[in-house]
Amino acid sequence: MWRVLARRVARGAAGAPRGHCRALGGTGAGRGPPVGAGPLSRGPVWGGPVQWPGGLLLPLAWPRLIPSRCCSLPAHQKVALPALSPTMQMGTIARWEKKEGDKINEGDLIAEVETDKATVGFESLDECYLAKILVPEGTRDVPIGAIICITVEKPEHVDAFKNYTLDAAASAPPPASVPPPQAAAPSLPPQASPQAPGSSYPPHMQITLPALSPTMTMGTVQRWEKKVGEKLSEGDLLAEIETDKATIGFEVQEEGYLAKILVPEGTRDVPLGAALCIIVEKESDIPAFADYQPTAVTDIKAQAPPPPPPPVVATPAAAPPPQPSVPSAPAVPTAGLPPQKERILASPVAKKIAAEKGIDLAQVKGTGPDGRITKKDVESFVPSKVAPAPAVGAVPAAAAVAAAPVGTFTDIPISNIRKVIAQRLMQSKQTIPHYYLSIDINMGEVLVLRKELNQMVSGNTKLSVNDFIIKASALACLKVPEANSSWMDTVIRQNHVVDVSVAVNTPAGLITPIVFNAHIKGLASISKDVVSLAAKAREGKLQPHEFQGGTFTISNLGMYGIKNFSAIINPPQACILAVGSSEKRLVPADNEKGFDVASMMSVTLSCDHRVVDGAVGAQWLAEFKNFLEKPVTMLL
């Protein structure tokens, strides 16, 4: 009965034959039994489906049937993808239940659409034939309103749509709906630069700021390595640019002469594509660019809005006279002018005590029923000191006192690196579901082995405990590859190599250079890489490929005496290991005393719960602990 009633209401609401949809089960297949029951109610304002008893979903405009006629095509209907949930913006065609040419009877399931909430199937309320499928199965991110199929009333009309494709011009918005750009600011016609580059300038090359990292949107010109008039050879360092990752040297690709520097040293937030300098082929062409200015710069200056006019300060003489006919808002009562008395609820005893003590009951807050003032309220009342109203002339003096004293703080400009660190850490904490696992590791055998190896290694190579940690982490990632994965929004990418990012503190901020292929490198090779990368990071000479990427991150604060801490995941990685310091602890032992002294180290693994489940993270820590407590196993 509900199905018949739903179809009648759907026809009446739409005014034309329309389809309806019903929520599918968890697998999204078949016609499961109705779920839920409740009174008839309309969805939110977004025009979504109507909820009927029995779990039936009736969208007001879905499937959206668009009758269409063309001189070369028979009568047909275009079915568009609607919004099936309040937050839906796109959908995925999970499966077509009918094929092209199949007859669709009333009540037949046509297709299943995966939304952001569930997989929903829709049925046909009328008999028709499926003439053309425009969106194949498995197509993801189909926008709302996109035409997904064509239906016809007669089977002989199906062949006419065999090679049918949507007209791109029909789906595009009409050009009349887009206002012309000139209409937005008719009072600001484009003005040509007084010294715009043109035919009067010799042949030259305008060097623009490139993207030196994938996330770079602007940069800072730290220092020019060449001066105007100097000769440039291929590979020469032209300037140092501070990006969102590090300070990178900008090299010259061709020979020439530096004719003009357009962006001075120290200029911050230079957008990508902005002109940095001018290079010419001949030294004699340099004087022609002495007053050169790029068109983009002069246009930006010309279009800058004028400064706002200074605010008008009203004086008492210029104030308008009061309007007696219009009642003004009640003013704050002063100490000498008591407010208008109202009826006060108070017990007789409270009134008597208040009269003896000279207490104004209007100032007492009652705690009895309906705010009634009791004896206890009067006895515990403490009159407040009412300060006299300040004069008008005293307001600026009070504001001056409230201002912060000069010299009590220093405003430090935010570098591009620090700005990006803040953005990425905030994004990581807000979007990644972190959880943390901690474990204690006996480092006794590692310390003994490290001492022996350092006596055997020749040269300046000295193995550190961090080198053993990097090696053990890489081998544990091979044992538990789920921890060596990345969240890529649509897929989880499981990496086959282990590139360990090592957090290094620099004067400009935190950066994570990468030890590539740490799983196949020896301890001496890892030690050399870490020393070299850390030195380059502190000098700001890391190349982009040396710090972009990585599959697993280690942050070690043990050298500062930190026992344990929790690190923030570096997206798109799934894990980061926080390493604390080693300390002497008493541990149970099989000896006469029953205990022993061991060097114990605490580590905490931060995991992305979208990628690494709790049991998987615990398994990784168990493998990591086994490698460090039995370092000989790292040789197997």
Side-chain angles (χ1 to χ4, degrees):
M1 180 184 71
W2 286 114
R3 184 180 295 275
V4 175
L5 178 60
R7 291 172 180 170
R8 290 179 181 174
V9 173
R11 288 193 179 100
R18 296 183 184 272
H20 76 272
C21 63
R22 55 184 173 84
L24 299 178
T27 58
R31 300 189 191 182
V35 285
L40 176 63
S41 61
R42 186 173 299 278
V45 182
W46 56 275
V50 177
Q51 179 70 41
W52 285 84
L56 192 64
L57 294 177
L58 289 178
L60 295 181
W62 197 81
R64 185 182 174 193
L65 304 179
I66 306 174
S68 178
R69 289 184 177 271
C70 182
C71 58
S72 60
L73 294 174
H76 58 281
Q77 290 176 323
K78 298 178 180 178
V79 182
L81 181 67
L84 301 178
S85 74
T87 57
M88 175 181 173
Q89 297 179 346
M90 301 182 180
T92 298
I93 305 298
R95 181 168 67 249
W96 286 99
E97 300 293 342
K98 297 292 182 179
K99 299 179 181 179
E100 293 181 358
D102 286 357
K103 182 179 180 180
I104 302 175
N105 296 315
E106 182 179 357
D108 283 356
L109 194 64
I110 302 176
E112 295 176 2
V113 179
E114 180 184 345
T115 72
D116 58 338
K117 299 294 185 184
T119 300
V120 181
F122 67 92
E123 301 174 355
S124 175
L125 292 180
D126 299 284
E127 293 186 358
C128 58
Y129 293 86
L130 184 57
K132 184 68 176 179
I133 294 176
L134 300 173
V135 180
E137 281 187 4
T139 304
R140 303 175 63 88
D141 299 337
V142 181
I144 294 175
I147 308 300
I148 58 176
C149 68
I150 301 293
T151 61
V152 294
E153 297 179 357
K154 300 178 180 181
E156 55 268 21
H157 294 165
V158 173
D159 292 338
F161 294 87
K162 185 177 181 180
N163 299 321
Y164 179 89
T165 57
L166 288 175
D167 187 2
S171 60
S177 63
V178 180
Q182 291 81 1
S187 61
L188 292 175
Q191 299 178 358
S193 171
Q195 293 179 351
S199 59
S200 60
Y201 289 97
H204 61 279
M205 183 167 53
Q206 187 170 274
I207 305 300
T208 59
L209 179 65
L212 301 177
S213 73
T215 57
M216 175 182 173
T217 57
M218 54 185 61
T220 298
V221 180
Q222 289 281 27
R223 182 170 65 251
W224 285 99
E225 300 293 341
K226 298 290 184 179
K227 298 180 181 179
V228 174
E230 290 189 8
K231 184 178 181 180
L232 306 175
S233 301
E234 184 178 356
D236 284 355
L237 194 62
L238 181 61
E240 290 186 358
I241 307 295
E242 180 189 347
T243 71
D244 56 341
K245 300 290 186 181
T247 301
I248 301 176
F250 187 28
E251 298 181 352
V252 180
Q253 302 297 328
E254 298 180 6
E255 294 184 357
Y257 293 87
L258 183 57
K260 179 73 175 180
I261 293 177
L262 303 174
V263 179
E265 285 186 1
T267 304
R268 301 172 56 85
D269 299 338
V270 181
L272 295 182
L276 298 179
C277 63
I278 298 296
I279 296 178
V280 295
E281 296 180 0
K282 300 179 181 179
E283 186 176 6
S284 57
D285 296 335
I286 295 177
F289 294 88
D291 299 326
Y292 178 94
Q293 290 186 4
T295 307
V297 174
T298 54
D299 286 346
I300 291 174
K301 292 181 179 180
Q303 295 175 3
V312 179
V313 180
T315 60
Q323 301 291 339
S325 60
V326 181
S328 59
V332 179
T334 61
L337 182 61
Q340 183 180 0
K341 292 186 177 180
E342 298 179 357
R343 185 187 176 196
I344 300 174
L345 295 176
S347 66
V349 179
K351 291 180 180 179
K352 181 180 178 181
I353 297 176
E356 293 175 353
K357 294 185 176 183
I359 298 175
D360 184 6
L361 289 177
Q363 300 179 7
V364 181
K365 183 179 181 181
T367 59
D370 298 327
R372 187 181 184 90
I373 300 174
T374 63
K375 173 185 176 182
K376 184 179 180 181
D377 297 333
V378 178
E379 291 177 344
S380 61
F381 173 73
V382 178
S384 59
K385 297 181 180 179
V386 180
V392 178
V395 174
V401 173
V406 179
T408 59
F409 61 89
T410 302
D411 289 332
I412 301 175
I414 300 176
S415 64
N416 290 340
I417 297 177
R418 174 59 58 186
K419 188 183 301 182
V420 171
I421 290 174
Q423 292 172 351
R424 287 179 62 84
L425 292 181
M426 183 174 65
Q427 177 190 11
S428 176
K429 264 297 190 181
Q430 290 178 344
T431 61
I432 296 179
H434 287 61
Y435 73 91
Y436 310 96
L437 302 173
S438 299
I439 197 170
D440 293 334
I441 301 173
N442 190 336
M443 299 294 290
E445 293 194 21
V446 168
L447 295 177
V448 172
L449 180 60
R450 170 178 173 262
K451 184 177 180 180
E452 293 177 358
L453 293 178
N454 280 336
Q455 292 175 354
M456 298 169 57
V457 174
S458 59
N460 298 326
T461 303
K462 291 295 180 182
L463 300 180
S464 66
V465 174
N466 201 47
D467 301 330
F468 286 86
I469 293 174
I470 294 173
K471 182 64 176 180
S473 299
L475 294 178
C477 286
L478 291 183
K479 291 277 189 177
V480 187
E482 292 86 352
N484 193 43
S485 303
S486 301
W487 178 263
M488 308 301 292
D489 289 334
T490 57
V491 297
I492 295 176
R493 177 171 298 169
Q494 196 170 102
N495 301 289
H496 299 156
V497 297
V498 186
D499 298 331
V500 179
S501 302
V502 182
V504 176
N505 186 33
T506 69
L510 186 69
I511 195 167
T512 53
I514 303 169
V515 179
F516 292 97
N517 298 315
H519 58 294
I520 61 175
K521 287 184 176 179
L523 293 171
S525 179
I526 291 175
S527 178
K528 292 179 181 178
D529 287 353
V530 171
V531 171
S532 173
L533 291 170
K536 294 174 69 175
R538 294 187 179 97
E539 295 173 2
K541 295 182 179 180
L542 281 176
Q543 296 300 314
H545 71 276
E546 293 176 320
F547 57 82
Q548 294 174 7
T551 62
F552 188 91
T553 299
I554 296 175
S555 180
N556 190 344
L557 294 180
M559 66 286 295
Y560 299 104
I562 302 299
K563 293 183 179 181
N564 56 70
F565 67 101
S566 300
I568 301 176
I569 296 173
N570 182 23
Q573 297 176 14
C575 295
I576 181 172
L577 184 68
V579 181
S581 62
S582 298
E583 62 177 359
K584 299 290 185 179
R585 299 184 197 171
L586 294 179
V587 296
D590 246 351
N591 53 27
E592 296 179 356
K593 297 182 292 184
F595 64 89
D596 201 355
V597 179
S599 295
M600 304 298 294
M601 179 183 72
S602 297
V603 298
T604 300
L605 183 68
S606 305
C607 303
D608 183 348
H609 216 317
R610 300 173 300 179
V611 183
V612 180
D613 293 330
V616 176
Q619 184 182 355
W620 187 94
L621 279 176
E623 296 289 348
F624 176 73
K625 178 179 180 179
N626 182 64
F627 282 124
L628 287 181
E629 292 189 343
K630 298 179 181 179
V632 179
T633 57
M634 289 192 282
L635 302 176
L636 299 178

